[in-house]
Amino acid sequence: MRKIVWLLVVIAGILWALPDKTIAGSFTYSDLIYAIAFIIVIFENLVFKRPLIILLNKRYSVIFYILLFTGIGAMTGMIRSSDTIGASVAFLQYAFIFVVVLTVIHYLINNKMENALKVLVIFTIPGIISGVMVSLSGLGFVTAYDSQLLYGLGRYRGFNGSLPTAYGAQTVLACVIIYMMFRISKRFINKLFWFTMLLVCVYAIILTASFGAIIMLGLAISLIWWFFSKHTLLTRSLLVFAFCAGLSVFYSHQTGNYQYMNYLPDIVKIRVEAAGGEFGSADVRSELNRLGVEKFFENPLMGIGHTQFMYHNPHGRVVHNTIISAAVESGVFGLIGVVLYLIVPIVLAYRMVKAKLFDAKSYEGVMVRFLLVYLLIRLAQTTTSHEYIERNLWLPGLVVFVIYATQMNRKEKAISQVGQPV
């Protein structure tokens, strides 16, 4: 059974990286595969009479409150919105992550840290596929897939125009885990593979020419440099690269001089020049966030309803900030649920780092610190995205839940055994 579940999760990761992955609404083929894996896990637990529901584990009790508040927020969003289906689907996505996907990940890890690494390797599949396809396209090898540009501003659509991880800021998240695998790998061939994939994904980020991606990349490298005492040559080189990239964009923005960019891919130059003196859509998004906060204080309890904000601003767009979006659409209850959803995994990862549950030089210690970096980057990403509940991007966060629950249960068991009479 376990091998079948592993195979299904790998297939789900691959399907997420393919075009046209949506079956209906926001339900994807990878979701269907996870649902099948969940049914297999439940069936096996019934046969062998094991604990059936993951939420009964006291270490996951906070999930109940996340679902409670997001559920109430979804109800208020439905009451004040004409899009009742959309509001209910938004809540069901949270429930799907925490009940179905977490159950499958908990089952696969099964108290073994080596399996946690395997789950994270599966997480990198979409990022690697998109990074390879976009990079090959940039080099002119697969123009049939990525020859189109987004809005004529020099931004690649990604693999056949539909893969979210091909967009820079989300590819940065994959880069953090890929670099972690490079640090943890022992064999030279493995290190070479992960280093190559890191270069490919960074190049793909450059090709997307996203200002947000460049900022996220610099933030990711800075956090890695901060959390790891050994400032390796690779880390320092990446930090210098991110700093120079950010400085060059700022210089071009202030002076209008793009001559230095002749040394970079043409797509980057097109993107920066087409920004018209602005950092992409940053100014519009900032205004949308400000208007969203104002609308929240007008209706703090109930919100204005799911997807209704686009009818309350001159741009006709939604808030590009997950937290503000939850507040303005579903009120204070939805806000609490989403904040818990984003912050709890960070708190758990930070607790494990501060408690020094693992040797800092061991692969477990390295993994937990990298996961903390990942979660902080993901939190930063929520400031530019109005929806942040994609299942594939939540796998590392779910791994944190499982590792924390496993370690706390072990610690509690060890303490109880010490107190028993010999």
Side-chain angles (χ1 to χ4, degrees):
M1 287 289 190
R2 195 172 299 276
K3 290 182 179 179
I4 295 176
V5 175
W6 274 113
L7 178 61
L8 288 174
V9 173
V10 171
I11 294 174
I14 295 174
L15 287 176
W16 189 266
L18 296 179
D20 304 322
K21 61 180 180 297
T22 302
I23 300 176
S26 58
F27 189 75
T28 67
Y29 290 101
S30 61
D31 292 340
L32 178 61
I33 299 298
Y34 269 113
I36 295 173
F38 175 75
I39 293 172
I40 293 175
V41 172
I42 296 300
F43 175 78
E44 182 177 330
N45 287 351
L46 285 173
V47 171
F48 293 100
K49 297 181 179 179
R50 295 170 180 166
L52 186 60
I53 303 176
I54 198 75
L55 298 182
L56 295 179
N57 187 319
K58 66 180 181 180
R59 301 300 176 189
Y60 298 131
S61 59
V62 67
I63 295 172
F64 169 79
Y65 296 102
I66 294 175
L67 295 178
L68 174 64
F69 284 108
T70 54
I72 297 174
M75 290 181 62
T76 59
M78 287 187 287
I79 292 172
R80 300 178 62 85
S81 172
S82 57
D83 186 12
T84 56
I85 295 177
S88 60
V89 168
F91 167 71
L92 289 176
Q93 287 179 319
Y94 287 101
F96 187 91
I97 290 173
F98 285 116
V99 177
V100 174
V101 182
L102 178 59
T103 299
V104 173
I105 299 304
H106 181 96
Y107 172 84
L108 291 179
I109 293 179
N110 191 31
N111 298 325
K112 295 180 181 179
M113 296 294 287
E114 295 83 356
N115 290 344
L117 277 177
K118 294 179 182 178
V119 172
L120 294 176
V121 169
I122 293 172
F123 162 80
T124 64
I125 289 176
I128 288 176
I129 292 177
S130 65
V132 169
M133 295 304 298
V134 173
S135 296
L136 289 177
S137 176
L139 296 173
F141 291 110
V142 286
T143 54
Y145 290 103
D146 280 296
S147 59
Q148 293 180 315
L149 301 179
L150 184 62
Y151 305 134
L153 297 182
R155 297 180 70 179
Y156 275 103
R157 284 180 178 272
F159 180 46
N160 206 23
S162 61
L163 179 63
T165 50
Y167 289 91
Q170 291 160 325
T171 307
V172 171
L173 297 174
C175 285
V176 173
I177 302 299
I178 291 172
Y179 181 48
M180 182 202 75
M181 298 306 301
F182 168 78
R183 288 286 300 270
I184 291 176
S185 299
K186 301 295 183 182
R187 298 175 58 187
F188 173 76
I189 189 66
N190 292 338
K191 279 188 172 291
L192 180 62
F193 170 79
W194 290 113
F195 181 68
T196 302
M197 291 303 101
L198 180 64
L199 293 180
V200 166
C201 288
V202 169
Y203 182 61
I205 292 170
I206 294 175
L207 290 180
T208 62
S210 167
F211 299 133
I214 294 175
I215 295 172
M216 292 290 176
L217 182 63
L219 180 59
I221 296 171
S222 301
L223 287 172
I224 291 172
W225 184 77
W226 176 265
F227 279 104
F228 290 84
S229 56
K230 287 187 176 181
H231 302 157
T232 64
L233 177 61
L234 176 61
T235 305
R236 290 176 177 176
S237 300
L238 290 174
L239 182 63
V240 171
F241 164 77
F243 176 78
C244 292
L247 186 63
S248 63
V249 172
F250 178 78
Y251 172 78
S252 297
H253 174 69
Q254 295 297 320
T255 64
N257 183 358
Y258 304 103
Q259 292 182 357
Y260 75 97
M261 300 194 72
N262 292 329
Y263 300 100
L264 297 175
D266 290 339
I267 188 172
V268 179
K269 182 180 179 181
I270 295 171
R271 168 64 175 151
V272 174
E273 289 179 338
E278 297 180 355
F279 287 114
S281 59
D283 293 342
V284 174
R285 295 189 183 196
S286 298
E287 183 181 357
L288 290 170
N289 291 342
R290 179 183 61 79
L291 294 174
V293 172
E294 292 178 358
K295 283 296 179 183
F296 167 68
F297 283 110
E298 291 178 9
N299 304 276
L301 186 61
M302 301 287 289
I304 64 175
H306 185 69
T307 69
Q308 298 303 296
F309 179 73
M310 66 177 64
Y311 306 113
H312 293 266
N313 70 85
H315 302 283
R317 299 173 61 179
V318 296
V319 177
H320 281 69
N321 183 301
T322 303
I323 296 175
I324 298 177
S325 178
V328 69
E329 291 186 355
S330 55
V332 67
F333 293 105
L335 173 63
I336 293 173
V338 169
V339 168
L340 288 175
Y341 167 83
L342 294 169
I343 298 298
V344 168
I346 295 176
V347 173
L348 298 182
Y350 182 74
R351 283 183 180 178
M352 287 189 285
V353 171
K354 290 294 290 184
K356 298 180 180 179
L357 294 179
F358 309 102
D359 182 359
K361 296 182 180 180
S362 66
Y363 74 85
E364 295 95 340
V366 173
M367 179 169 61
V368 171
R369 283 182 289 165
F370 264 107
L371 286 172
L372 177 57
V373 171
Y374 169 89
L375 293 170
L376 290 172
I377 297 298
R378 189 184 61 184
L379 179 63
Q381 166 67 1
T382 64
T383 63
T384 61
S385 174
H386 68 284
E387 288 184 355
Y388 208 75
I389 47 182
E390 294 178 0
R391 270 71 75 199
N392 70 317
L393 296 178
W394 252 87
L395 279 180
L398 300 179
V399 169
V400 169
F401 269 101
V402 175
I403 293 175
Y404 181 79
T406 298
Q407 294 306 309
M408 291 299 100
N409 289 336
R410 284 181 179 177
K411 186 176 180 180
E412 191 174 272
K413 184 177 180 180
I415 293 174
S416 63
Q417 289 177 346
V418 171
Q420 293 179 354
V422 180

